[in-house]
């Protein structure tokens, strides 16, 4: 009988803890998606600049006479 009471209390606690977790999980998922989007944009910008940039002008050495 005592174990049944503990089981009921345990289920009640788990049920109480589970309320609100779905909206929080959804909010966290949206935040992660935004961060992933920003990182992807930064990588695309860096890649474009790397491919399309002109090389740095290096001074040419003049041969000594």
């Amino acid at each position: 009988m005592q174990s049944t009471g503990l089981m009921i209390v345990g289920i009640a606690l788990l049920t109480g803890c589970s309320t609100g977790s779905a909206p929080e999980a959804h909010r966290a998922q949206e935040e992660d998606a935004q961060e992933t989007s920003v990182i992807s944009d930064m990588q695309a910008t860096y890649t474009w600049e790397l491919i399309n940039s002109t090389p740095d002008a290096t001074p040419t050495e003049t041969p000594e006479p």
Side-chain angles (χ1 to χ4, degrees), residues 13-32:
L13 285 173
L14 289 175
T15 304
C17 292
S18 70
T19 59
S21 63
E24 291 174 12
H26 184 65
R27 180 182 49 81
Q29 186 179 18
E30 288 177 351
E31 288 176 2
D32 288 345

Side-chain angles (χ1 to χ4, degrees), residues 8-59:
I8 292 172
V9 170
I11 291 172
L13 285 173
L14 289 175
T15 304
C17 292
S18 70
T19 59
S21 63
E24 291 174 12
H26 184 65
R27 180 182 49 81
Q29 186 179 18
E30 288 177 351
E31 288 176 2
D32 288 345
Q34 289 174 353
E35 290 176 7
T36 302
S37 175
V38 169
I39 291 172
S40 296
D41 290 346
M42 290 172 59
Q43 289 174 340
T45 301
Y46 176 76
T47 303
W48 187 89
E49 289 175 351
L50 185 65
I51 293 172
N52 295 314
S53 66
T54 57
D56 294 336
T58 55

